[in-house]
Amino acid sequence: MEKYYIGTLNNISQVGLSKLTENYVLTDDVDQANGIIVRSFKMHDMDFSENLLAIGRAGAGVNNIPLDKCADQGIVVFNAPGANSNAVKELVLAALIMGARNMYEGIAWANTLEGDDVSSDVEKGKKNYAGTEILGKTIGIIGLGAIGAKIANSCEALGMKVCGYEAFRPHPCLTADVKMFDDVAEMVKECDFVSIHVPSLPATKGMINKDLIANMKDGAIILNFARPDLVVVDDIKAALETGKIRKYMTDLANEETIGVPGIVATPHLGASTAEAEENCAVMAAEELMDYLGCGNIRCSVNYPAVSLDCIEGTKRICALYKDAEDKAEEFKAFYGDCLVDMASGKRGDYGYVICAVKSGCPNVFEAPYVIRTRVLG
Ligand code: MLT
């Protein structure tokens, strides 16, 4: 098997890198790399070398990677959905309770106390931080992917009622009895807590704004452990000032959130656990090896999922293409009797075909819409 070079753009867990087999060689030279494993490094301004065939994002969000530019250059981008979902879920649960019990504010106050009688000051002042319980309260979860679904299950187990909104299909791990809504604005009317778990896309940007907040219950707590631009922070601040919302718990501390009463912001710790970093790195490494070595695409965010078992005595011709039409039949017709098996798929305009052909089959199909072809085996 050919050797492939793997580069990294952030600190990637050694547990993940150790999964790379002997055909995959780590390199410090990104221009030499056939595959790159990345966490949050912003890749939008990078020029990609011809050698680069795939990028594995060791995490879920892919807003640091120019997906269309990569697709147009024949670079398949993978992410690691679900690999850090338990870590994020646990932090959201902590924030849910911290928010309801005013823990952050209480701790900050307790740390200001001085003198010999702190215990008595504590007893006198604690009434200012009295909170509420989550038992019997309602949480509305926007986005029931791997993270949202796990939060739903845990909230139900903690005695909460769970409402949900999901534009596509809820993740299969969802077991909670969720009251589903087609309209987020309707859902939030019933919720004491609203937690958002969707990717940052043009359609989701600013999804939590003054109009949605106006529909919320007075005193609701909003949680954002996904991406900063899903929420209009100025609208949050205005709603905190009037008391319309009680608190904004977020994992996305930035210049807009610091020092604002009612905003409790952690420094993007959601997926920063040893376990999550390992899980993500392992998944990214395995996805890259499966694609570079075998041509299989699983969990890509810019090309369709297409895979084919290796068939002895065949070589695999793997072609990435771009066209509004599905071109699989054209590949099939070209390889004709040489073809032993084939798999194909489309994702928007981008298509992928794996043709297992007899070893002696001489030619590679060419067409203006083919972006890149690799011959394996
Ligand atoms: C993710 O997208 O997986 C999380 O936000 C954590 C991260 O950005 O690495």
Side-chain angles (χ1 to χ4, degrees):
M1 185 174 146
E2 202 179 317
K3 282 222 180 307
Y4 294 100
Y5 291 96
I6 304 293
T8 56
L9 286 176
N10 298 100
N11 264 340
I12 303 297
S13 152
Q14 283 305 319
V15 177
L17 297 179
S18 70
K19 295 283 170 198
L20 296 171
T21 55
E22 67 275 10
N23 298 98
Y24 299 87
V25 181
L26 286 172
T27 177
D28 290 334
D29 177 2
V30 275
D31 289 338
Q32 185 187 36
N34 307 115
I36 289 177
I37 305 183
V38 63
R39 284 176 60 196
S40 53
F41 187 93
K42 292 194 170 37
M43 301 183 78
H44 287 274
D45 296 332
M46 281 178 75
D47 289 324
F48 299 121
S49 109
E50 266 297 299
N51 293 325
L52 187 62
L53 303 173
I55 297 170
R57 158 82 167 108
V62 284
N63 51 320
N64 57 323
I65 306 172
L67 300 184
D68 287 346
K69 173 173 149 185
C70 287
D72 287 335
Q73 294 183 28
I75 300 164
V76 182
V77 181
F78 299 87
N79 72 344
N84 57 24
S85 55
N86 185 65
V88 180
K89 175 200 83 177
E90 288 187 7
L91 199 70
V92 170
L93 294 176
L96 189 69
I97 297 173
M98 268 187 87
R101 301 300 294 269
N102 300 318
M103 283 176 70
Y104 170 77
E105 295 80 358
I107 293 167
W109 169 72
N111 275 329
T112 65
L113 298 177
E114 289 174 355
D116 297 335
D117 210 4
V118 168
S119 318
S120 117
D121 292 343
V122 160
E123 290 309 318
K124 279 186 225 142
K126 69 181 184 185
K127 59 180 177 300
N128 295 324
Y129 304 97
T132 53
E133 298 181 24
I134 60 168
L135 183 73
K137 304 292 188 311
T138 301
I139 184 167
I141 302 176
I142 305 172
L144 290 163
I147 295 171
K150 284 186 178 157
I151 292 168
N153 297 345
S154 296
C155 286
E156 184 182 64
L158 289 167
M160 299 185 80
K161 295 178 202 125
V162 184
C163 297
Y165 168 83
E166 170 54 59
F168 302 99
R169 243 173 324 160
H171 193 273
C173 75
L174 182 70
T175 52
D177 182 15
V178 179
K179 180 174 176 186
M180 294 298 294
F181 285 80
D182 294 333
D183 183 356
V184 181
E186 285 303 310
M187 179 184 82
V188 299
K189 288 180 184 167
E190 299 192 11
C191 302
D192 305 289
F193 300 85
V194 175
S195 196
I196 186 159
H197 301 282
V198 296
S200 165
L201 299 169
T204 56
K205 212 174 145 121
M207 206 170 171
I208 296 191
N209 55 31
K210 58 179 181 318
D211 297 332
L212 192 70
I213 292 172
N215 270 13
M216 291 185 190
K217 273 178 146 178
D218 291 346
I221 293 181
I222 299 173
L223 299 102
N224 176 12
F225 282 62
R227 285 293 179 266
D229 61 4
L230 303 174
V231 170
V232 181
V233 176
D234 281 341
D235 293 353
I236 292 273
K237 288 179 184 169
L240 283 167
E241 265 169 34
T242 62
K244 172 68 188 169
I245 63 166
R246 185 169 142 201
K247 213 164 279 182
Y248 177 50
M249 307 296 292
T250 180
D251 193 26
L252 305 153
N254 64 19
E255 48 294 334
E256 290 184 284
T257 63
I258 295 305
V260 181
I263 298 187
V264 179
T266 43
H268 203 188
L269 297 178
S272 292
T273 63
E275 296 89 335
E277 286 178 10
E278 283 176 20
N279 291 344
C280 287
V282 167
M283 194 163 171
E286 287 175 347
E287 288 166 349
L288 286 189
M289 287 192 290
D290 202 16
Y291 177 63
L292 295 174
C294 297
N296 291 328
I297 297 185
R298 300 179 214 266
C299 296
S300 169
V301 286
N302 64 350
Y303 272 98
V306 178
S307 51
L308 191 65
D309 287 341
C310 282
I311 305 167
E312 203 144 318
T314 64
K315 61 182 177 184
R316 291 155 87 82
I317 301 180
C318 306
L320 300 165
Y321 70 88
K322 182 177 185 180
D323 200 281
E325 304 289 321
D326 188 331
K327 296 291 183 187
E329 284 303 316
E330 304 203 13
F331 287 84
K332 193 171 177 182
F334 177 82
Y335 291 113
D337 288 345
C338 271
L339 196 62
V340 179
D341 203 355
M342 148 173 200
S344 70
K346 285 234 45 231
R347 181 189 180 110
D349 283 349
Y350 297 101
Y352 185 54
V353 184
I354 307 175
C355 296
V357 299
K358 293 173 192 155
S359 318
C361 180
N363 299 319
V364 165
F365 177 67
E366 283 173 16
Y369 49 80
V370 174
I371 297 174
R372 194 196 287 265
T373 303
R374 293 194 304 139
V375 181
L376 304 174

